[in-house]
């Protein structure tokens, strides 16, 4: 793995923007999501832990997507490549995993669509930001 293609600022910015997107996504869809997930807000415990875990997961996703895009573009990521690979990785791994897991867990398609839509947005946002930032600056000679 070639970590020289990692623009660490891009990874952090992508994770922050993706996390903020998730906050907006689930605030807007909170009622249908709670219903689809069969959760009762009155009995739910409030904790910051899921938010922290989500942010860490998005940092890992941004790093991995950076490595994939960097490897495939020869270390020269761009927004189109980031968007394309964000979509392909979402389709190949995230959408399929959510779909299978939700079927085994007995959840309806509404939860799958809400969650898959969120993760699609996350992957596209991360991909575009990684591509927009581009390769890390070469060290000064």
């Amino acid at each position: 793995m070639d970590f020289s293609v990692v623009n660490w600022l891009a990874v952090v910015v992508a994770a922050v923007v993706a996390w903020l997107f998730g906050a907006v996504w689930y605030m807007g869809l909170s009622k249908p999501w709670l219903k689809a997930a069969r959760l009762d807000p009155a009995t739910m415990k409030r904790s910051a832990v899921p938010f922290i875990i989500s942010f860490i997961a998005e940092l890992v996703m941004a790093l991995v997507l950076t490595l994939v895009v960097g490897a495939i573009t020869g270390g020269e990521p761009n927004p189109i490549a980031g968007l394309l690979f964000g979509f392909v990785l979402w389709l190949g791994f995230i959408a399929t995993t959510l779909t299978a897991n939700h079927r085994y867990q007995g959840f309806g398609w509404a939860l799958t669509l809400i969650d898959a839509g969120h993760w699609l947005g996350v992957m596209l946002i991360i991909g575009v930001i990684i591509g927009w930032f581009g390769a890390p600056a070469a060290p000064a000679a």
Side-chain angles (χ1 to χ4, degrees):
M1 240 180 281
D2 182 10
F3 284 90
S4 70
V5 300
V6 176
N7 184 328
W8 294 101
L9 178 60
V11 168
V12 172
V13 169
V16 169
V17 174
W19 188 85
L20 291 172
F21 164 76
V24 171
W25 179 266
Y26 283 109
M27 280 193 298
L29 294 170
S30 62
K31 287 182 183 176
W33 183 82
L34 286 166
K35 181 179 178 186
R38 301 181 202 130
L39 295 172
D40 180 3
T43 60
M44 291 173 59
K45 294 181 181 178
R46 309 282 184 222
S47 171
V49 173
F51 300 99
I52 295 166
I53 290 171
S54 293
F55 181 70
I56 293 168
E58 286 158 354
L59 274 172
V60 172
M61 289 175 162
L63 174 60
V64 170
L65 190 52
T66 299
L67 292 169
V68 169
V69 173
I72 293 176
T73 63
E76 294 296 326
N78 62 71
I80 299 299
L83 197 65
L84 176 65
F85 289 107
F87 175 76
V88 168
L89 292 172
W90 169 83
L91 182 64
F93 297 101
I94 297 172
T96 55
T97 300
L98 279 174
T99 300
N101 284 352
H102 286 171
R103 300 299 69 76
Y104 279 109
Q105 295 163 348
F107 288 111
W109 285 100
L111 183 62
T112 304
L113 292 174
I114 293 168
D115 288 346
H118 162 253
W119 290 114
L120 174 60
V122 164
M123 292 299 285
L124 296 178
I125 287 166
I126 289 172
V128 167
I129 291 173
I130 294 300
W132 180 56
F133 271 74

